[in-house]
Amino acid sequence: MEMEVTALVGKAYYEITLDDIAGWWILGGRCACCGHQGPFNRARLDKRAQNRLLRFASRFLICTRCRNKQHNRIYIAGKMPR
Ligand SMILES: [Zn+2]
């Protein structure tokens, strides 16, 4: 089950932070150029980001298909099994 973070959180993308998204959601990254989707390592962002806004996470999102790193977005890829 895939969904947009804006639909999950109910805020505009630019104001959403990692803290708005519970830990059981699995995050993915989507390329703004070619639409390629891939897994996104939340723990890595947690550790390395200076702030927790998703819009600044694009610097950690590089498309593995076309190498684009501009305006890529995080989406909800699914839920952790329990
Ligand atoms: Zn791409």
Side-chain angles (χ1 to χ4, degrees), residues 24-78:
W24 59 75
W25 294 108
I26 299 166
L27 304 182
R30 186 187 297 121
C31 178
C33 279
C34 75
H36 183 242
Q37 297 186 161
F40 178 76
N41 189 336
R42 178 182 182 137
R44 187 161 165 261
L45 177 67
D46 246 335
K47 212 156 75 177
R48 295 187 49 194
Q50 302 88 328
N51 68 63
R52 299 169 65 77
L53 286 163
L54 294 194
R55 63 191 163 119
F56 291 118
S58 59
R59 75 188 59 171
F60 301 104
L61 286 172
I62 299 169
C63 179
T64 53
R65 187 157 73 186
C66 76
R67 311 305 297 167
N68 168 54
K69 44 185 174 181
Q70 305 288 323
H71 307 294
N72 297 336
R73 284 193 176 203
I74 289 169
Y75 69 99
I76 304 293

